[in-house]
Amino acid sequence: MKISPTQIPGAFQITPEKLYDNRGYFYEAVRAEILSEAVGAPFSVAQVNFSVSRKNTLRGIHGTTLPPGQAKLVSCVRGAVLDIAVDLRVGSPTFGHHAVTYQDADSGVAVYLAEGLGHGFLALTDDTCMNYLCSEVYVPGTMIDVDALDPAMALPWNLTEPPIRSAKDAAAPTLAEAEALGLLPRYEDCIALYSPVPEAQ
């Protein structure tokens, strides 16, 4: 598998190498020791989640407070999505910046998100299924919600019609409002858990 950093420190794209034969193909979606080495922190799975969405469903932007924090490996196992990661870490040099990844079931492409990063996606097909491997179990009251349509973030959803959203997502604060309310994690607290591997000189 190929693990590539995105524009946001702590967010990585994982692209598998497929082995084809007359039956179809096989690939490794993730290998813990390789992923941990690439991202600079151990990654173990404490909870596995799935979501199924209709076409034009917009989920997010969602994150987790620190503590407990929650790193995620997110992949599309049926259908296709436009996936966006957002840096929610107050004080980060890339605070409010985003990284876009197209994911579909055929490609096997996944995204790793370190603690402090937010995540959202737009379902491009009906019956889209997303898989989330989470480093920590869900703790009620620790989810961070930020408006995916916040004009200041200007996330490139390329919508052609109003998206389908939950009432909670539609009522979520903007990034600036979430920061003012003290809902977002601090950069220094997040990187204390996450130490990227230095780039080769």
Side-chain angles (χ1 to χ4, degrees):
M1 69 192 69
K2 180 181 179 183
I3 303 177
S4 307
T6 69
Q7 306 95 307
I8 301 174
F12 294 80
Q13 179 175 311
I14 296 94
T15 305
E17 296 179 2
K18 296 179 179 179
L19 302 175
Y20 291 88
D21 64 19
N22 61 317
R23 300 166 296 176
Y25 58 82
F26 172 90
Y27 63 86
E28 291 183 353
V30 63
R31 188 180 291 193
E33 71 271 19
I34 295 175
L35 179 62
S36 296
E37 181 179 355
V39 305
F43 180 72
S44 58
V45 178
Q47 182 169 325
V48 179
N49 301 328
F50 290 89
S51 67
V52 178
S53 303
R54 296 164 53 194
K55 183 178 180 179
N56 202 43
T57 291
L58 179 58
R59 293 181 184 259
I61 301 294
H62 300 149
T64 307
T65 61
L66 197 70
Q70 189 182 68
K72 298 176 183 174
L73 184 68
V74 185
S75 58
C76 180
V77 295
R78 187 173 63 242
V81 302
L82 182 69
D83 187 278
I84 298 185
V86 178
D87 193 343
L88 302 181
R89 303 169 296 190
V90 176
S92 167
T94 55
F95 176 70
H97 293 203
H98 63 270
V100 179
T101 305
Y102 174 80
Q103 294 188 40
D104 62 35
D106 185 59
S107 71
V109 168
V111 175
Y112 171 85
L113 305 163
E115 291 86 350
L117 301 183
H119 175 257
F121 69 85
L122 178 69
L124 304 178
T125 63
D126 279 326
D127 203 31
T128 289
C129 184
M130 295 290 281
N131 171 232
Y132 313 75
L133 305 181
C134 305
S135 66
E136 301 289 341
V137 298
Y138 168 69
V139 178
T142 62
M143 181 176 281
I144 299 169
D145 299 306
V146 173
D147 185 2
L149 299 181
D150 177 357
M153 289 198 295
L155 301 178
W157 298 115
N158 301 320
L159 296 167
T160 58
E161 59 183 307
I164 302 165
R165 298 209 283 171
S166 69
K168 182 167 71 75
D169 281 355
T174 65
L175 184 65
E177 290 168 343
E179 180 183 8
L181 291 168
L183 302 177
L184 304 179
R186 297 187 309 166
Y187 179 63
E188 57 267 32
D189 293 335
C190 293
I191 61 170
L193 301 174
Y194 167 74
S195 301
V197 176
E199 293 184 5
Q201 298 296 319

